[in-house]
Amino acid sequence: MSKTSHPNLPKQIPQHVAIIMDGNGRWALKRGLPRLAGHKAGTENLRRIIKACVEFGVGYLTIYAFSTENWGRPHEEVNGLMRILEDVIDKELSELNEQGVQIRHLGRLDQLAPALQEKVMDAVHTTQHNSKLVLNVAFNYGGRDEIVHGIQQMLKDGVSPESVTPELVSKYLYTAGVPDPDLIIRTSGELRISNFLIWQAAYSEWYVTPTYWPDFNKEEFRKALDEFSNRDRRYGKVDAPEYEGTHV
Ligand code: FPP
């Protein structure tokens, strides 16, 4: 987390913001449009929020774009989401690169079409030295799958039971090297974690808004950051000066 002195910025900017971009389908339904139109509008909005993160000085943005459960949606929607990822890389990579965005992928790449795997790896490789904003794209990602994958790797590496610590587990997750999210935003009002960053979210602050993702604009994002700024994060401890100097 970083403190700001700029009068137009919130007092504290979270170092890492993670977003469950929910409500695209309902946004489209309300307008009599197909669900994919909602995902496309959501993609447009993502561009705005990435820019806002760069402007506000957020260091890491993690977006939940396709979960391991989303394979259960109709073929047309699954294929549409794959096409959106492909299009974003084709059309936005050079601008993201110019903005200093480093793209990382979270999840299982090997279940995607080989051409799409190549594109994702190319985007990761092309932007690997950028440092303005790390954009973690959770695509074919599930929190439980991530933990299972991490345990499998630990066993393959012959890690001994005694050396397993929370820090070591973190190193075996897709998010290795990324600080835990300070703030998790969920749009469209649902009060669920939905298998997103279940390990990393242990002490994250939550912000839930009824706004559907395509309408969650820079102003709304700013509101979320303002609210975060006023949260008192205690990580399970207490601020109790009356106990100072006493030990149990
Ligand atoms: C949840 O809304 C949203 C998704 C499952 C997909 C989110 C994807 C994007 C915004 C596209 C941008 C991403 C890429 C590939 C970079 P929902 O469809 O579950 O909404 P509903 O609950 O209203 O039906």
Side-chain angles (χ1 to χ4, degrees):
M1 208 158 49
S2 62
K3 279 195 198 311
T4 58
S5 52
H6 196 289
N8 296 324
L9 289 178
K11 292 191 299 284
Q12 308 262 17
I13 296 291
Q15 187 186 13
H16 182 178
V17 176
I19 309 184
I20 302 181
M21 309 180 289
D22 199 8
N24 294 344
R26 278 163 287 167
W27 181 94
L29 195 71
K30 224 173 76 182
R31 289 163 175 75
L33 298 169
R35 291 179 56 80
L36 268 177
H39 295 314
K40 285 184 185 146
T43 308
E44 286 299 308
N45 192 48
L46 180 57
R47 188 186 296 139
R48 291 190 277 272
I49 298 302
I50 291 172
K51 278 212 175 93
C53 283
V54 172
E55 186 183 327
F56 293 148
V58 171
Y60 297 82
L61 173 67
T62 300
I63 50 159
Y64 205 8
F66 190 91
S67 76
T68 44
E69 287 70 38
N70 286 156
W71 292 106
R73 294 191 176 201
H75 282 308
E76 197 194 344
E77 185 168 346
V78 170
N79 291 339
L81 285 165
M82 299 289 158
R83 255 195 327 271
I84 286 178
L85 178 60
E86 202 175 329
D87 272 9
V88 166
I89 298 174
D90 285 346
K91 297 186 183 139
E92 314 284 341
L93 182 60
S94 64
E95 199 186 325
L96 289 169
N97 199 19
E98 274 163 29
Q99 283 180 273
V101 176
Q102 182 190 132
I103 298 172
R104 283 184 58 155
H105 170 253
L106 309 181
R108 296 231 186 212
L109 207 51
D110 56 2
Q111 290 163 346
L112 307 185
L116 187 53
Q117 292 183 33
E118 288 277 327
K119 275 191 202 284
V120 174
M121 286 190 292
D122 177 56
V124 170
H125 181 75
T126 305
T127 61
Q128 65 183 326
H129 299 302
N130 292 341
S131 58
K132 200 92 185 147
L133 171 74
V134 175
L135 174 67
N136 294 309
V137 181
F139 198 97
N140 194 22
Y141 170 88
R144 287 185 172 179
D145 175 67
E146 178 180 41
I147 292 169
V148 167
H149 178 262
I151 293 171
Q152 288 170 342
Q153 292 300 326
M154 271 191 231
L155 294 173
K156 280 185 196 159
D157 289 351
V159 170
S160 70
E162 303 74 38
S163 54
V164 178
T165 59
E167 291 71 31
L168 187 78
V169 172
S170 293
K171 285 188 187 142
Y172 274 89
L173 300 180
Y174 297 130
T175 50
V178 173
D180 287 343
D182 300 293
L183 173 66
I184 302 181
I185 297 172
R186 181 163 191 154
T187 56
S188 95
E190 309 292 345
L191 299 173
R192 288 191 286 277
I193 195 164
S194 298
N195 205 11
F196 185 49
L197 303 177
I198 54 179
W199 171 274
Q200 299 87 337
Y203 282 104
S204 304
E205 295 293 321
W206 279 84
Y207 180 87
V208 177
T209 169
T211 306
Y212 295 147
W213 170 250
D215 294 329
F216 186 80
N217 56 22
K218 187 175 163 188
E219 263 54 64
E220 296 249 357
F221 184 53
R222 169 68 209 246
K223 237 166 56 187
L225 297 189
D226 280 335
E227 188 176 314
F228 172 82
S229 232
N230 293 319
R231 299 272 178 94
D232 178 21
R233 302 183 79 192
R234 293 190 300 272
Y235 301 91
K237 299 168 189 150
V238 286
D239 287 332
E242 67 270 26
Y243 289 129
E244 238 156 66
T246 60
H247 298 281
V248 186

